[in-house]
Amino acid sequence: LTIDTVVQDAAELALSEAVNRFNGRSGMAIVVKVDTGEVLALAHYPYFNSNTYSESKPAQRRNRAALDIFEPGSTMKPFVFAAALDAKVIDPNKVIDCEGGKWNLRGKTIRDTHPYRWLSANRVLRYSSNIGTAKIGLALGAQPMYATLRKLGFGERPGLEMPSESPGMLRQPKEWGEFDTAAISFGQGIGVTGLQMVKAYLTLANKGMPRPLRLVLD
C-alpha cells in the first residue's frame, strides 16, 4: 500500500482531536502526495481494531471517505473560480455586488455570513461570499460548470477500486434551474465523497492537471 504509517498515525491523532473538540460524531482525513497521487493516509473516526473485528460496530467499520455522500459547501468554491477564470468570465479584479449579505433569486434567499457589498472576485473567494460565488457561477453557466465538475471527477467513482466507492450525486445540467446553478456554485445541491474532494483538490494542487489517486504501489 501507499499508506505511510507515520503520516497515518499523525492524521488519526489530528482527526480524533478535531472531532472531539467540536463534538462531532465522525470524521475522515485523507493525505495525498501531489506529485504521484499516492494516498499517504486514509483515516476515519471513530476507530476500530481490525484484529478484534467482531467487537466493533458497523458505523465504526464504515469506509466514510469512499462511501459517505455530503454537500461540500464552500469547499466547492475554488473549482467554480478556476472554471470561471479559465473561461475568462472573470478576472481576479472584477468587482461583484454582494448585495449587502442577502440576495433574493427566483423567490429564494441566498445569504452571506457578513454583509459584504462590493468585492473584487479574489476577495469573493477570500471572504467566501456565497452571493458573489453564485453570481460567478451564473455567469459561467450550468453546462460549463457541469463539464468542469465532471473533469474533476465528480459524478463518478474515484477509481481506487474499493468495493464501497460511491459516485456521489451530480445531476445533469438540463435539470438545473437558475437557483440550482447558483447553489451548486457554493456547494449545495451536489453530493460528493471525501475521495472525490481530495482528487479534485489534487488537480488544483497539480496546476490544473488531473492525476489518478493511487492506493497500491506498482
Side-chain angles (χ1 to χ4, degrees), residues 40 52 58 60-61 71 75 79 91 97 101 129 134 147 196 207 212:
L40 301 181
T52 55
Q60 294 174 290
R61 302 192 297 268
E71 284 189 324
T75 57
F79 307 128
D91 64 66
D97 183 2
S129 167
Q196 287 179 325
K207 300 181 180 180

PDB file of all heavy atoms in Angstrom, residues 40 52 58 60-61 71 75 79 91 97 101 129 134 147 196 207 212:
ATOM      1  N   LEU A  40      -1.291   8.795   1.222  1.00  0.00           N
ATOM      2  CA  LEU A  40      -0.358   8.541   2.322  1.00  0.00           C
ATOM      3  C   LEU A  40      -1.081   8.252   3.633  1.00  0.00           C
ATOM      4  O   LEU A  40      -0.523   7.611   4.530  1.00  0.00           O
ATOM      5  CB  LEU A  40       0.573   9.745   2.515  1.00  0.00           C
ATOM      6  CG  LEU A  40       1.422  10.137   1.301  1.00  0.00           C
ATOM      7  CD1 LEU A  40       2.308  11.323   1.645  1.00  0.00           C
ATOM      8  CD2 LEU A  40       2.269   8.962   0.811  1.00  0.00           C
ATOM      9  N   THR A  52      -9.802  -7.210  16.255  1.00  0.00           N
ATOM     10  CA  THR A  52     -10.973  -7.612  17.053  1.00  0.00           C
ATOM     11  C   THR A  52     -12.226  -7.118  16.336  1.00  0.00           C
ATOM     12  O   THR A  52     -13.036  -6.378  16.897  1.00  0.00           O
ATOM     13  CB  THR A  52     -10.884  -7.027  18.475  1.00  0.00           C
ATOM     14  OG1 THR A  52     -10.717  -5.598  18.394  1.00  0.00           O
ATOM     15  CG2 THR A  52      -9.727  -7.638  19.241  1.00  0.00           C
ATOM     16  N   PRO A  58     -20.905  -1.586  13.038  1.00  0.00           N
ATOM     17  CA  PRO A  58     -20.841  -1.262  11.602  1.00  0.00           C
ATOM     18  C   PRO A  58     -20.468   0.191  11.327  1.00  0.00           C
ATOM     19  O   PRO A  58     -19.736   0.479  10.377  1.00  0.00           O
ATOM     20  CB  PRO A  58     -22.254  -1.580  11.115  1.00  0.00           C
ATOM     21  CG  PRO A  58     -22.743  -2.637  12.055  1.00  0.00           C
ATOM     22  CD  PRO A  58     -22.160  -2.284  13.387  1.00  0.00           C
ATOM     23  N   GLN A  60     -18.474   2.030  12.946  1.00  0.00           N
ATOM     24  CA  GLN A  60     -17.038   2.194  13.128  1.00  0.00           C
ATOM     25  C   GLN A  60     -16.257   1.634  11.943  1.00  0.00           C
ATOM     26  O   GLN A  60     -15.173   2.123  11.626  1.00  0.00           O
ATOM     27  CB  GLN A  60     -16.582   1.505  14.418  1.00  0.00           C
ATOM     28  CG  GLN A  60     -17.133   2.122  15.690  1.00  0.00           C
ATOM     29  CD  GLN A  60     -16.756   1.308  16.908  1.00  0.00           C
ATOM     30  OE1 GLN A  60     -17.245   0.194  17.108  1.00  0.00           O
ATOM     31  NE2 GLN A  60     -15.868   1.845  17.733  1.00  0.00           N
ATOM     32  N   ARG A  61     -16.800   0.621  11.301  1.00  0.00           N
ATOM     33  CA  ARG A  61     -16.095  -0.032  10.188  1.00  0.00           C
ATOM     34  C   ARG A  61     -16.395   0.628   8.844  1.00  0.00           C
ATOM     35  O   ARG A  61     -15.809   0.243   7.833  1.00  0.00           O
ATOM     36  CB  ARG A  61     -16.485  -1.516  10.131  1.00  0.00           C
ATOM     37  CG  ARG A  61     -16.179  -2.284  11.402  1.00  0.00           C
ATOM     38  CD  ARG A  61     -16.303  -3.780  11.181  1.00  0.00           C
ATOM     39  NE  ARG A  61     -17.649  -4.190  10.827  1.00  0.00           N
ATOM     40  CZ  ARG A  61     -18.579  -4.577  11.689  1.00  0.00           C
ATOM     41  NH1 ARG A  61     -18.301  -4.584  13.001  1.00  0.00           N
ATOM     42  NH2 ARG A  61     -19.775  -4.966  11.290  1.00  0.00           N
ATOM     43  N   GLU A  71     -22.916  17.320   1.203  1.00  0.00           N
ATOM     44  CA  GLU A  71     -22.833  18.579   0.465  1.00  0.00           C
ATOM     45  C   GLU A  71     -21.520  19.263   0.842  1.00  0.00           C
ATOM     46  O   GLU A  71     -21.257  19.482   2.022  1.00  0.00           O
ATOM     47  CB  GLU A  71     -24.010  19.484   0.802  1.00  0.00           C
ATOM     48  CG  GLU A  71     -25.314  19.073   0.142  1.00  0.00           C
ATOM     49  CD  GLU A  71     -26.418  20.100   0.322  1.00  0.00           C
ATOM     50  OE1 GLU A  71     -26.489  20.728   1.403  1.00  0.00           O
ATOM     51  OE2 GLU A  71     -27.206  20.281  -0.614  1.00  0.00           O
ATOM     52  N   THR A  75     -16.175  24.448   0.247  1.00  0.00           N
ATOM     53  CA  THR A  75     -15.005  23.792  -0.341  1.00  0.00           C
ATOM     54  C   THR A  75     -15.172  23.595  -1.849  1.00  0.00           C
ATOM     55  O   THR A  75     -14.201  23.279  -2.536  1.00  0.00           O
ATOM     56  CB  THR A  75     -14.731  22.424   0.315  1.00  0.00           C
ATOM     57  OG1 THR A  75     -15.887  21.591   0.201  1.00  0.00           O
ATOM     58  CG2 THR A  75     -14.381  22.604   1.793  1.00  0.00           C
ATOM     59  N   PHE A  79     -13.232  25.502  -7.250  1.00  0.00           N
ATOM     60  CA  PHE A  79     -13.393  24.863  -8.560  1.00  0.00           C
ATOM     61  C   PHE A  79     -14.217  25.748  -9.505  1.00  0.00           C
ATOM     62  O   PHE A  79     -13.948  25.825 -10.698  1.00  0.00           O
ATOM     63  CB  PHE A  79     -14.060  23.494  -8.407  1.00  0.00           C
ATOM     64  CG  PHE A  79     -13.379  22.603  -7.417  1.00  0.00           C
ATOM     65  CD1 PHE A  79     -14.094  22.000  -6.392  1.00  0.00           C
ATOM     66  CD2 PHE A  79     -12.018  22.371  -7.490  1.00  0.00           C
ATOM     67  CE1 PHE A  79     -13.474  21.191  -5.460  1.00  0.00           C
ATOM     68  CE2 PHE A  79     -11.373  21.557  -6.564  1.00  0.00           C
ATOM     69  CZ  PHE A  79     -12.106  20.967  -5.541  1.00  0.00           C
ATOM     70  N   ASP A  91     -11.979  38.071 -14.070  1.00  0.00           N
ATOM     71  CA  ASP A  91     -10.561  38.165 -13.747  1.00  0.00           C
ATOM     72  C   ASP A  91     -10.495  38.480 -12.261  1.00  0.00           C
ATOM     73  O   ASP A  91     -11.505  38.857 -11.655  1.00  0.00           O
ATOM     74  CB  ASP A  91      -9.849  39.222 -14.601  1.00  0.00           C
ATOM     75  CG  ASP A  91     -10.367  40.628 -14.337  1.00  0.00           C
ATOM     76  OD1 ASP A  91     -10.165  41.138 -13.211  1.00  0.00           O
ATOM     77  OD2 ASP A  91     -10.981  41.215 -15.236  1.00  0.00           O
ATOM     78  N   ASP A  97     -21.171  42.789  -6.980  1.00  0.00           N
ATOM     79  CA  ASP A  97     -22.092  43.283  -5.956  1.00  0.00           C
ATOM     80  C   ASP A  97     -22.593  42.112  -5.117  1.00  0.00           C
ATOM     81  O   ASP A  97     -23.323  41.247  -5.607  1.00  0.00           O
ATOM     82  CB  ASP A  97     -23.276  43.994  -6.632  1.00  0.00           C
ATOM     83  CG  ASP A  97     -24.243  44.607  -5.619  1.00  0.00           C
ATOM     84  OD1 ASP A  97     -23.978  44.520  -4.401  1.00  0.00           O
ATOM     85  OD2 ASP A  97     -25.261  45.174  -6.059  1.00  0.00           O
ATOM     86  N   GLY A 101     -25.139  41.129   1.755  1.00  0.00           N
ATOM     87  CA  GLY A 101     -25.278  39.891   2.527  1.00  0.00           C
ATOM     88  C   GLY A 101     -26.591  39.161   2.376  1.00  0.00           C
ATOM     89  O   GLY A 101     -26.791  38.109   2.999  1.00  0.00           O
ATOM     90  N   SER A 129     -17.766  34.497  -0.035  1.00  0.00           N
ATOM     91  CA  SER A 129     -19.112  35.039  -0.229  1.00  0.00           C
ATOM     92  C   SER A 129     -19.960  34.083  -1.067  1.00  0.00           C
ATOM     93  O   SER A 129     -19.633  33.801  -2.228  1.00  0.00           O
ATOM     94  CB  SER A 129     -19.047  36.397  -0.923  1.00  0.00           C
ATOM     95  OG  SER A 129     -20.327  36.806  -1.375  1.00  0.00           O
ATOM     96  N   ALA A 134     -22.166  32.728  -6.275  1.00  0.00           N
ATOM     97  CA  ALA A 134     -23.363  32.390  -7.052  1.00  0.00           C
ATOM     98  C   ALA A 134     -23.416  33.202  -8.337  1.00  0.00           C
ATOM     99  O   ALA A 134     -23.749  32.675  -9.410  1.00  0.00           O
ATOM    100  CB  ALA A 134     -24.612  32.628  -6.214  1.00  0.00           C
ATOM    101  N   ALA A 147     -19.423  20.550 -16.915  1.00  0.00           N
ATOM    102  CA  ALA A 147     -18.284  19.950 -17.626  1.00  0.00           C
ATOM    103  C   ALA A 147     -17.021  19.997 -16.775  1.00  0.00           C
ATOM    104  O   ALA A 147     -16.252  19.029 -16.726  1.00  0.00           O
ATOM    105  CB  ALA A 147     -18.064  20.681 -18.948  1.00  0.00           C
ATOM    106  N   GLN A 196     -13.558  11.923  -3.651  1.00  0.00           N
ATOM    107  CA  GLN A 196     -13.781  12.809  -4.799  1.00  0.00           C
ATOM    108  C   GLN A 196     -13.203  14.192  -4.536  1.00  0.00           C
ATOM    109  O   GLN A 196     -12.581  14.789  -5.419  1.00  0.00           O
ATOM    110  CB  GLN A 196     -15.276  12.914  -5.100  1.00  0.00           C
ATOM    111  CG  GLN A 196     -15.874  11.679  -5.736  1.00  0.00           C
ATOM    112  CD  GLN A 196     -17.368  11.835  -5.978  1.00  0.00           C
ATOM    113  OE1 GLN A 196     -18.076  12.471  -5.202  1.00  0.00           O
ATOM    114  NE2 GLN A 196     -17.859  11.239  -7.055  1.00  0.00           N
ATOM    115  N   LYS A 207      -1.497  22.132 -10.487  1.00  0.00           N
ATOM    116  CA  LYS A 207      -1.549  23.188 -11.503  1.00  0.00           C
ATOM    117  C   LYS A 207      -2.541  22.879 -12.615  1.00  0.00           C
ATOM    118  O   LYS A 207      -2.306  23.167 -13.790  1.00  0.00           O
ATOM    119  CB  LYS A 207      -0.152  23.440 -12.086  1.00  0.00           C
ATOM    120  CG  LYS A 207       0.863  23.888 -11.039  1.00  0.00           C
ATOM    121  CD  LYS A 207       2.235  24.150 -11.639  1.00  0.00           C
ATOM    122  CE  LYS A 207       3.210  24.598 -10.553  1.00  0.00           C
ATOM    123  NZ  LYS A 207       4.568  24.866 -11.116  1.00  0.00           N
ATOM    124  N   PRO A 212      -4.548  10.486 -11.309  1.00  0.00           N
ATOM    125  CA  PRO A 212      -5.315   9.459 -10.591  1.00  0.00           C
ATOM    126  C   PRO A 212      -4.782   9.232  -9.180  1.00  0.00           C
ATOM    127  O   PRO A 212      -3.581   9.357  -8.929  1.00  0.00           O
ATOM    128  CB  PRO A 212      -5.126   8.201 -11.459  1.00  0.00           C
ATOM    129  CG  PRO A 212      -3.841   8.441 -12.205  1.00  0.00           C
ATOM    130  CD  PRO A 212      -3.789   9.911 -12.438  1.00  0.00           C
TER     131      PRO A 212
END
